[in-house]
Amino acid sequence: MDEIAQIGFQIIALAKDKPEGINNDDLAESLQSVPPEQRVQALNKLLQEAVLEILKKGNTLIYRLKDPGKKSSAPKDIDNEERVIYNIVEEGGNKGIWIRDIRVKSNLVMTQLNKVLKQLENKKLIKAVKSVNVSSGRGVWCARFAAVLMIVRSSYNSQASKKKVYMLYNLDPDRSITGGAWYQDQDFEAEFVDVLNQQCLRFLRQKREVAKGSGEGPLAVQKLSECSVADVHRFISDLGISKISLDEDDLETILKTVVYDGKAERVAQISGGFLYRAIETPIAAPGLVQMPCGICPVVKNCADCGEITPKLCTYISEWLD
């Protein structure tokens, strides 16, 4: 066994006695007979072999035995500062981590942190991803589009909103970062939502017309008019109007906007799921009863200024016309 390996075993034994971690002072005190150069070589070897992990507490480097179940994918040819930052970014997973959080965990000054991040980016070990702007949208704002934002925003990483986050280079960003199907280049696709809304409504109405032609009684017709999210998903997929893959959760979000439009209803099932069916009003409601504000899901966010206002709402414009 070579001398560096023997020193490594001594360091491991010391780290086992102090599970909270050891620093360079602990090593110098316990390994007084070991030259500093050999101590550094042994430390680097243990770090490269992922036996130890390196952390930073204040301005002090801490070496700690690595949890066997926690495997790092950090390459062996990066220096200690790069390894610290890489491990912090790795912990963020596919939701990423803010530069502010990296700075707090690494305790590096901003200039040095930016330098290390740039080095890791150049080596294609990490990447910076810009989060969606959940408050921006293309096209005219109205209750329908605001409703979609409200529905999907609850699943977003609100802390990452409008922020640049870092993650490992080979990871695909989480939907909470990209915005999923409703965002393109960090902007909300209002026109796409509108097309899907219209096609979902068309399918519900087709289902209702087929039910009416069955010759069954009113209750049976109502039952035959009901559609599952899976039915609507199959219809939209067959149309081929979306260039991206939509799942059933995406289509249920759109179906909810049809309900908010007052053109469909949601029927709860004993199993816990929901069915949807188109509805029609036999007699047009007069005057203020038709005002869209009464069924608008984001009326509490409507104000004289901002992104949701009566002046920009197409529902109000249609009602006034």
Side-chain angles (χ1 to χ4, degrees):
M1 183 182 297
D2 63 46
E3 195 171 358
I4 298 301
Q6 289 178 346
I7 297 169
F9 280 116
Q10 294 178 57
I11 294 173
I12 291 172
L14 182 60
K16 285 181 178 178
D17 291 337
K18 293 187 175 182
E20 72 279 3
I22 55 178
N23 57 36
N24 286 318
D25 291 338
D26 296 326
L27 290 168
E29 184 180 345
S30 300
L31 305 174
Q32 294 181 11
S33 60
V34 177
E37 296 81 8
Q38 290 184 342
R39 192 170 68 234
V40 170
Q41 287 179 41
L43 267 175
N44 286 336
K45 190 170 186 295
L46 292 173
L47 288 169
Q48 289 174 0
E49 293 173 350
V51 176
L52 294 180
E53 62 181 349
I54 186 171
L55 309 168
K56 204 162 186 184
K57 187 175 182 181
N59 293 319
T60 305
L61 288 176
I62 301 295
Y63 306 97
R64 190 171 63 188
L65 281 177
K66 198 170 182 66
D67 182 354
K70 181 183 174 184
K71 294 183 178 180
S72 173
S73 57
K76 296 180 179 180
D77 59 346
I78 59 177
D79 63 35
N80 287 340
E81 280 190 344
E82 290 176 338
R83 190 177 300 277
V84 169
I85 301 304
Y86 183 94
N87 289 336
I88 291 172
V89 172
E90 186 177 29
E91 290 174 1
N94 64 348
K95 290 190 176 181
I97 183 169
W98 291 5
I99 191 170
R100 185 183 69 183
D101 293 333
I102 298 173
R103 182 168 59 83
V104 169
K105 289 186 176 185
S106 67
N107 204 40
L108 289 176
V109 295
M110 205 63 198
T111 51
Q112 183 62 16
L113 176 57
N114 283 327
K115 179 183 175 183
V116 175
L117 287 170
K118 193 66 179 175
Q119 289 170 349
L120 291 172
E121 285 187 87
N122 289 338
K123 293 178 180 179
K124 295 191 182 301
L125 295 176
I126 67 170
K127 61 185 174 183
V129 179
K130 187 179 178 183
S131 311
V132 295
N133 183 349
V134 297
S135 62
S136 70
R138 292 177 182 170
V140 181
W141 268 90
C142 66
R144 177 185 304 158
F145 307 140
V148 173
L149 279 179
M150 188 175 70
I151 293 166
V152 298
R153 184 180 289 163
S154 61
S155 65
Y156 286 174
N157 180 354
S158 58
Q159 287 185 328
S161 174
K162 304 184 187 178
K163 301 288 183 180
K164 183 168 70 172
V165 296
Y166 290 88
M167 66 184 65
L168 295 188
Y169 188 81
N170 61 342
L171 293 181
D172 292 324
D174 186 81
R175 286 169 67 101
S176 64
I177 303 300
T178 63
W182 318 126
Y183 283 81
Q184 178 69 32
D185 298 327
Q186 287 79 49
D187 288 320
F188 181 60
E189 289 287 351
E191 294 88 346
F192 181 47
V193 170
D194 193 31
V195 169
L196 288 174
N197 175 284
Q198 293 172 17
Q199 293 303 320
C200 286
L201 177 59
R202 181 165 76 93
F203 178 71
L204 295 180
R205 285 176 171 170
Q206 286 176 353
K207 187 80 172 177
R208 184 186 63 193
E209 292 307 312
V210 170
K212 283 182 177 179
S214 65
E216 300 288 342
L219 292 179
V221 167
Q222 196 175 59
K223 192 70 177 175
L224 290 171
S225 299
E226 296 172 351
C227 306
S228 68
V229 177
D231 294 333
V232 179
H233 180 261
R234 193 159 43 248
F235 172 75
I236 295 297
S237 297
D238 291 343
L239 282 180
I241 59 175
S242 176
K243 295 180 180 179
I244 59 175
S245 177
L246 298 173
D247 58 28
E248 290 187 11
D249 287 340
D250 293 328
L251 268 301
E252 184 154 30
T253 298
I254 298 299
L255 284 168
K256 288 177 182 177
T257 68
V258 181
V259 173
Y260 291 147
D261 285 342
K263 297 174 181 177
E265 61 183 355
R266 197 169 181 233
V267 184
Q269 301 298 294
I270 298 176
S271 61
F274 291 91
L275 295 178
Y276 294 83
R277 63 178 172 230
I279 58 175
E280 54 185 343
T281 306
I283 302 174
L288 289 174
V289 177
Q290 292 181 330
M291 190 172 184
C293 304
I295 59 169
C296 178
V298 289
V299 66
K300 64 179 181 181
N301 298 325
C302 192
D304 294 335
C305 58
E307 293 172 329
I308 306 175
T309 69
K311 186 180 292 186
L312 298 176
C313 180
T314 55
Y315 287 1
I316 288 285
S317 299
E318 290 173 2
W319 178 65
L320 291 174
D321 289 341

